[in-house]
Amino acid sequence: QGAKVTLHYNSNNSTLAGIVADYPAATCMVKARVDNEIEVARAFEESIKKLGPVQVLVVNHGIWPTENVLLKDMSLKQWSNTLNVNLTGSFLTIRAFMQQLVRNRVQENVAIVMVGSTAGRFGEWYHADYAATKSAMMGGLTLSLKNEIVQFCPRGRVNTVAPGWIRTPMAESALSDPEVVKRALATSPLNKVSTTKDIANSIVFLASERAAGNITGHVVNVDAGMEGRVLNPVTVLPAKL
């Protein structure tokens, strides 16, 4: 639809190369560790040099440690790394985005769309580090920044998309287990695992001033209507009611 898109990666750009090859004039790739202040600043400089000032930022990076670890057993190294990447990385990226808005006097179609998670809404046992970062993004960060961005971009907007389970190559092995799917969809009336297109459509909607120009400070849950977690089998009743 005429958009110019910067594609960010940390170490592996293999999934992005084809897009850049198909749209060489409208895309560019930038490499950066999101928790590195210098690399984030350089990524924006490279993007602006090729495509011009950035109007829309999608904060879509994140890590989810795969090992199940209770908080009492979690190392400070794991906790710090998850917060550095997911939360400090969001801070550095959003700050650099806002700074270039001011420098380049960008006013049209300004938006930030962050990607949260149902973990930020319902929590996620064994992954308290990840859940804490997503809660912070969906809560305090979204609600604070929607009031800050209008100080220099009066029509600027900040929203967050919060997916549940998404059918991706990374999740395919887990979703091949019927019991995992059963528990994942137990409180979801639509009984559907989201596709990447479901999430992308919501992000594009919120990024568009024409479509969502009066929506800011909101979390859009793309989770098939999920109402919570199933922690105990429904056939197990407590000893005393």
Side-chain angles (χ1 to χ4, degrees):
Q1 302 299 320
K4 296 178 180 179
V5 181
T6 297
L7 306 167
H8 162 258
Y9 69 99
N10 178 42
S11 58
N12 184 353
N13 66 3
S14 60
T15 59
L16 307 179
I19 300 173
V20 175
D22 290 340
Y23 303 97
T27 60
C28 74
M29 288 190 294
V30 295
K31 182 178 187 293
R33 283 185 56 96
V34 292
D35 58 350
N36 185 297
E37 188 173 13
I38 295 173
E39 291 188 21
V40 170
R42 184 168 61 238
F44 273 92
E45 290 171 3
E46 293 174 7
S47 174
I48 293 168
K49 184 176 181 180
K50 179 173 182 182
L51 301 179
V54 183
Q55 294 171 286
V56 175
L57 176 68
V58 179
V59 184
N60 190 38
H61 72 271
I63 58 172
W64 181 83
T66 56
E67 184 180 359
N68 290 336
V69 182
L70 293 172
L71 185 70
K72 73 179 183 65
D73 302 318
M74 189 176 294
S75 67
L76 177 59
K77 181 179 179 181
Q78 176 178 323
W79 175 268
S80 298
N81 187 53
T82 304
L83 264 67
N84 280 341
V85 174
N86 293 2
L87 198 52
T88 302
S90 297
F91 156 69
L92 290 174
T93 306
I94 293 169
R95 187 183 66 173
F97 170 71
M98 288 179 158
Q99 289 172 344
Q100 66 86 42
L101 289 176
V102 175
R103 276 197 311 272
N104 296 293
R105 299 180 180 179
V106 181
Q107 294 292 312
E108 299 295 321
N109 200 48
V110 173
I112 297 172
V113 183
M114 290 183 280
V115 177
S117 168
T118 50
R121 184 178 171 203
F122 301 118
E124 185 169 359
W125 63 343
Y126 296 119
H127 299 278
D129 51 343
Y130 176 81
T133 64
K134 293 303 180 178
S135 289
M137 294 169 69
M138 295 160 62
L141 205 54
T142 298
L143 295 174
S144 298
L145 296 183
K146 60 104 172 175
N147 293 333
E148 290 191 13
I149 198 168
V150 294
Q151 303 303 311
F152 44 90
C153 292
R155 294 295 300 166
R157 297 169 296 108
V158 180
N159 294 288
T160 298
V161 172
W165 277 91
I166 309 171
R167 193 170 292 282
T168 64
M170 186 181 297
E172 203 57 47
S173 60
L175 292 175
S176 64
D177 183 342
E179 284 302 312
V180 171
V181 176
K182 182 179 178 180
R183 292 176 69 89
L185 299 179
T187 68
S188 301
L190 291 183
N191 202 35
K192 175 192 173 185
V193 175
S194 294
T195 66
T196 53
K197 189 173 182 180
D198 291 326
I199 312 308
N201 285 343
S202 299
I203 292 171
V204 170
F205 168 72
L206 291 173
S208 169
E209 188 170 72
R210 179 181 296 180
N214 210 33
I215 299 174
T216 192
H218 287 279
V219 176
V220 176
N221 298 305
V222 187
D223 57 9
M226 185 178 183
E227 293 189 1
R229 307 284 189 202
V230 176
L231 301 181
N232 300 301
V234 294
T235 56
V236 176
L237 296 177
K240 294 182 179 181
L241 295 177

